[in-house]
């Protein structure tokens, strides 16, 4: 695996954090439906795609903020798993270019020690001012109407890239993928673009492409190689191969 590889891009998704106890979106036991209660305490279910949108935020900010408050609270109860740790070890030891691009909004890559990391879908522990665009670290509940310390407007929202919004740092990601010798996708269903399209750019520039996932994904056909199994086993094995 190591021969002739210098530049590596690793795309991670919800499957990487599944064994830490954070539910995925689309696999079995995923949170494709979120259970909440109305004002009278009656439970009802929301499709995640109906909660994670700019329209939902405008229509019902309390609901959207509560969804992300719950996710942020969960972070205190989870820890990085061997897959996060192996990627952090690879990041620390790899002498060439390396970029971990995560779709995950948890902070488990950082807690494991990864440094060369982009959160393309935002971060739970960040709040974004919808008025001035400033992002600030945020670890508590975030009620709608919270005032931005930068501009004074009551417009702080979760710093999450909603469906229909532009993911972060696309230029840097595109540059890295275009120079990759190896592109690895881990624990993502390949259902959400633009991340699902990175493999095609990587192939176009001649990179080797490898998918690690529990089940075959929607994008499996685009990868040269696929390995099926839990990330906590497959990722440490891959890192051992790469580091020799
Ligand atoms: P998904 O829930 O769509 O897919 C998770 C993938 O992980 C599935 O293909 C599972 O088979 C796989 N998986 C589950 N457990 C695993 C394990 N232990 N080891 C390896 N693989 C495992 O999650 P994403 O592809 O990350 O966007 O979803 C992409 C985006 O859709 C998310 O970032 C989120 C969501 O809407 C935003 O929040 C903007």
């Amino acid at each position: 695996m190591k021969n002739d590889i210098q530049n590596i891009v690793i795309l991670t998704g919800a499957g990487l954090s599944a064994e830490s106890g954070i539910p995925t979106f689309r696999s079995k036991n995923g949170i494709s439906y979120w259970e909440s209660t109305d004002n009278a305490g009656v439970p009802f279910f929301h499709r995640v795609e109906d909660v994670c949108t700019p329209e939902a935020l405008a229509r019902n900010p309390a609901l959207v903020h509560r969804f992300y408050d719950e996710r942020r609270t969960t972070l205190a109860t989870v820890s990085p798993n061997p897959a996060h740790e192996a990627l952090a070890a690879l990041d620390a030891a790899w002498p060439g270019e390396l970029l971990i691009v995560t779709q995950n909004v948890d902070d488990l890559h950082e807690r494991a020690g990864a440094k060369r990391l982009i959160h393309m879908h935002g971060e739970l522990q960040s709040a974004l001012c919808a008025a001035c665009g400033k992002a600030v670290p945020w670890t508590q509940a975030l009620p709608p109407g919270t005032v931005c310390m930068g501009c004074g407007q009551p417009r702080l929202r979760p710093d999450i890239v909603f469906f229909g919004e532009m993911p972060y740092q696309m230029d840097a990601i595109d540059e890295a993928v275009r120079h990759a010798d190896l592109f690895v996708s881990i624990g993502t269903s390949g259902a959400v673009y633009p991340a699902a399209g990175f493999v095609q750019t990587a192939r176009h520039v001649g990179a080797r492409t490898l998918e690690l996932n529990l089940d075959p994904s929607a994008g499996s056909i685009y990868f040269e190689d696929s390995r099926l199994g839990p990330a906590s086993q497959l990722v440490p094995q891959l890192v051992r191969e790469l580091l020799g």
Side-chain angles (χ1 to χ4, degrees):
M1 172 60 76
K2 192 176 172 185
N3 292 346
D4 70 9
I5 292 171
Q6 288 192 357
N7 303 337
I8 302 177
V9 175
I10 297 166
L11 174 69
T12 68
L16 193 82
S17 296
E19 291 165 85
S20 293
I22 299 180
T24 64
F25 295 93
R26 295 174 187 81
S27 43
K28 211 169 121 227
N29 304 324
I31 51 160
S32 35
Y33 287 88
W34 173 53
E35 183 181 352
S36 133
T37 49
D38 66 12
N39 292 338
V42 177
F44 59 99
F45 293 88
H46 308 269
R47 285 176 64 231
V48 165
E49 283 84 354
D50 295 336
V51 179
C52 310
T53 66
E55 294 76 19
L57 184 66
R59 194 171 54 237
N60 193 344
L63 180 84
V64 176
H65 281 240
R66 195 163 75 241
F67 177 79
Y68 288 105
D69 283 351
E70 279 186 16
R71 316 258 89 67
R72 199 177 302 108
T73 303
T74 306
L75 291 185
T77 67
V78 298
S79 308
N81 67 52
H84 298 100
E85 283 157 8
L87 290 180
L90 179 66
D91 178 19
W94 187 253
E97 296 291 326
L98 179 142
L99 181 64
I100 300 169
V101 180
T102 189
Q103 299 168 87
N104 298 342
V105 295
D106 64 56
D107 62 342
L108 296 181
H109 277 302
E110 296 88 318
R111 278 201 256 161
K115 301 275 188 276
R116 294 182 273 183
L117 173 70
I118 288 178
H119 276 278
M120 67 176 289
H121 286 169
E123 296 174 62
L124 281 171
Q125 294 193 316
S126 174
L128 175 72
C129 178
C132 73
K134 186 176 162 58
V136 288
W138 203 271
T139 54
Q140 309 299 315
L142 178 65
T146 301
V147 170
C148 169
M149 302 292 277
C151 71
Q153 296 292 315
R155 301 280 306 279
L156 280 186
R157 55 164 268 189
D159 190 1
I160 303 290
V161 176
F162 293 138
F163 288 103
E165 295 182 329
M166 180 59 82
Y168 291 143
Q169 300 195 51
M170 285 303 295
D171 287 349
I173 296 169
D174 188 57
E175 176 76 9
V177 175
R178 285 183 185 284
H179 290 93
D181 304 309
L182 173 66
F183 175 78
V184 187
S185 168
I186 308 171
T188 175
S189 61
V192 175
Y193 281 79
F198 296 162
V199 59
Q200 297 183 51
T201 306
R203 287 195 74 154
H204 182 70
V205 299
R208 294 167 72 174
T209 54
L210 170 64
E211 179 186 49
L212 309 182
N213 211 43
L214 197 56
D215 315 295
S217 76
S220 293
I221 51 165
Y222 300 115
F223 289 84
E224 256 167 37
D225 291 316
S226 279
R227 299 180 187 178
L228 297 184
S232 63
Q233 291 174 19
L234 296 183
V235 179
Q237 180 191 326
L238 174 68
V239 169
R240 280 194 296 275
E241 289 171 30
L242 286 168
L243 294 179

